[in-house]
Amino acid sequence: MAKIKLTDQQQRRIDSNHQARAEKTSDGMHGLVIGQAGHQLDVETSDGVVRCSRRKNIGAIVTGDNVVLEAVPPNEYVITAVLPRTSLLARPDFRGQMKAIAANLDRIFIICSVRPELNEGLIDRYLVAAETLGITPVLVLNKIDLADDEQQLNILRDRVSLYAKLGYELIESSAKNQQGIDALLNSLHMHTSIMVGQSGVGKSSLVNALLPEVNIKTKEISESTNKGMHTTSASRLYHLPKGGSLIDSPGVREFGMWQVSAEELFDGFVEFREYKGLCKFSNCQHKSEPQCAILEAIEAKEISESRYESYKRILESLTE
Ligand SMILES: Nc1nc2c(ncn2[C@@H]2O[C@H](COP(=O)(O)OP(=O)(O)OP(=O)(O)O)[C@@H](O)[C@H]2O)c(=O)[nH]1
Ligand SMILES: [Mg+2]
Ligand SMILES: [Zn+2]
């Protein structure tokens, strides 16, 4: 008897699963892309995580994308559409072609560290990208345990304090000593965030520290160059236990910006905005023109010289 009863139950479950799947596929089954494996994508669905191929000609699909998929019996899945995105972080690859990094983000954690040493030029580029996309940036100074002494730490703190003065949230952390983890969790809560930055600054180590059940591979930086080994090769999304998600991304050498217009670049430097339209000449390039509001603000120490130099370097790269 027991055996028959069980079989009935199983049959009902199988029937209802079939029914559910048929309903889902009739208007497409929905899923969230959580990672990539070669040309295939890992998609989280109500049936669990499935590895999918993709229909041709539907454009880039990246981690964070909401997609529609179809089951191809017996057990394959194919992505047939990408749902509209709220944001798409992208950068030019080494061939100058646009490479999408992640979609539907609302926060970007710019990770920098004591070693490799922080690079303000790169931070500024990420800030411009975040401002252009309307994503909130958060700056993280990681590996503070590696500072030789209080003096070195204070010099670094002084350098990053510029960004706090501009109104950006700034978090100090050590993935090694579990420092700053609560502050990071607070800032990540309920958001869809990505960790970006140079290779070896400790992005994956921070994800491991934030989510103890996750165990991403990390690798020591080169002793001779103090540079990371490009350990993470694809972006991957992890869920935060109290809500929100976090994407770990591969480290970069640089962050090219040619998709940004000169005006977006200007607006991307938040402290420049209040001087917009105040220069004597409406087509002012803010280089050496008389009565340039930006140059005057630098003179008055209201805009930092280093941020202005950074702006000029990015502007030059846009026209190269
Ligand atoms: N001392 C110290 N070492 C750290 C800290 N965070 C990370 N590391 C070490 O730094 C090295 C690089 O860390 P990863 O987490 O692989 O760096 P990543 O930013 O993910 O690098 P990519 O994946 O290449 O972009 C590893 O050897 C980590 O153990 C930290 O807070 N303190
Ligand atoms: Mg990594
Ligand atoms: Zn000007």
Side-chain angles (χ1 to χ4, degrees):
M1 277 302 278
K3 200 175 170 197
I4 291 167
K5 210 170 155 196
L6 197 69
T7 309
D8 278 353
Q9 230 172 30
Q10 281 177 331
Q11 190 57 49
R12 272 203 302 278
R13 200 173 300 143
I14 289 165
D15 287 348
S16 92
N17 278 350
H18 275 176
Q19 178 71 23
R21 198 160 290 145
E23 273 166 19
K24 274 185 222 153
T25 42
S26 63
D27 68 336
M29 185 173 153
H30 286 195
L32 170 69
V33 178
I34 60 163
Q36 276 156 276
H39 290 296
Q40 294 197 302
L41 298 128
D42 288 336
V43 179
E44 199 176 74
T45 71
S46 50
D47 288 352
V49 176
V50 292
R51 189 151 284 183
C52 301
S53 56
R54 37 172 301 161
R55 189 160 284 173
K56 282 198 186 103
N57 307 324
I58 54 171
I61 306 176
V62 282
T63 301
D65 263 326
N66 293 306
V67 293
V68 181
L69 37 148
E70 248 170 45
V72 183
N75 52 13
E76 284 181 26
Y77 292 86
V78 55
I79 297 176
T80 55
V82 181
L83 297 180
R85 299 165 170 138
T86 58
S87 66
L88 178 66
L89 181 66
R91 69 185 185 97
D93 67 8
F94 63 95
R95 278 167 299 181
Q97 279 177 351
M98 200 60 162
K99 189 164 176 7
I101 301 168
N104 299 317
L105 306 163
D106 61 6
R107 285 205 160 199
I108 175 164
F109 284 72
I110 305 165
I111 316 295
C112 53
S113 75
V114 173
R115 205 158 53 238
E117 195 174 294
L118 56 134
N119 169 346
E120 281 90 341
L122 184 64
I123 295 172
D124 291 335
R125 282 167 178 262
Y126 276 124
L127 289 174
V128 171
E131 294 292 345
T132 308
L133 292 172
I135 300 175
T136 304
V138 177
L139 190 61
V140 180
L141 178 59
N142 187 37
K143 303 201 194 183
I144 53 166
D145 61 284
L146 282 186
D148 296 331
D149 50 33
E150 199 63 19
Q151 193 193 356
Q152 193 201 3
L153 190 56
N154 283 337
I155 292 171
L156 294 173
R157 280 183 173 143
D158 193 51
R159 281 167 62 183
V160 290
S161 70
L162 165 65
Y163 297 99
K165 284 187 202 121
L166 295 176
Y168 294 118
E169 184 180 356
L170 176 63
I171 296 175
E172 281 185 9
S173 67
S174 164
K176 189 177 174 200
N177 295 347
Q178 291 277 322
Q179 254 174 289
I181 300 304
D182 286 343
L184 281 167
L185 281 173
N186 276 337
S187 191
L188 289 161
H189 183 58
M190 297 309 283
H191 293 289
T192 301
S193 310
I194 187 166
M195 288 202 173
V196 297
Q198 294 176 73
S199 175
V201 292
K203 298 176 294 297
S204 303
S205 304
L206 282 172
V207 178
N208 288 340
L210 289 158
L211 300 168
E213 70 283 7
V214 170
N215 192 6
I216 311 173
K217 192 172 152 219
T218 64
K219 211 187 273 175
E220 276 180 31
I221 62 171
S222 151
E223 257 180 50
S224 55
T225 64
N226 275 333
K227 286 193 175 145
M229 308 303 271
H230 292 274
T231 311
T232 304
S233 57
S235 298
R236 190 152 193 107
L237 182 145
Y238 303 91
H239 292 288
L240 299 161
K242 293 187 179 159
S245 40
L246 175 58
I247 297 172
D248 182 25
S249 76
V252 300
R253 278 190 196 87
E254 53 183 28
F255 190 81
M257 299 241 63
W258 48 245
Q259 73 272 34
V260 167
S261 71
E263 189 179 1
E264 283 171 330
L265 177 64
F266 184 96
D267 290 340
F269 280 74
V270 281
E271 70 274 44
F272 289 15
R273 290 179 189 170
E274 62 181 289
Y275 302 100
K276 201 170 183 173
L278 300 185
C279 301
K280 179 167 192 235
F281 299 107
S282 61
N283 62 349
C284 186
Q285 301 287 304
H286 325 299
K287 281 182 180 152
S288 56
E289 295 87 341
Q291 292 176 48
C292 165
I294 295 290
L295 296 177
E296 284 174 1
I298 296 165
E299 196 67 26
K301 305 227 175 304
E302 274 152 18
I303 287 178
S304 95
E305 184 92 44
S306 62
R307 284 270 290 172
Y308 171 68
E309 290 302 326
S310 189
Y311 163 80
K312 277 205 301 194
R313 270 195 303 275
I314 304 174
L315 187 64
E316 272 162 30
S317 74
L318 296 184
T319 50
E320 261 165 20

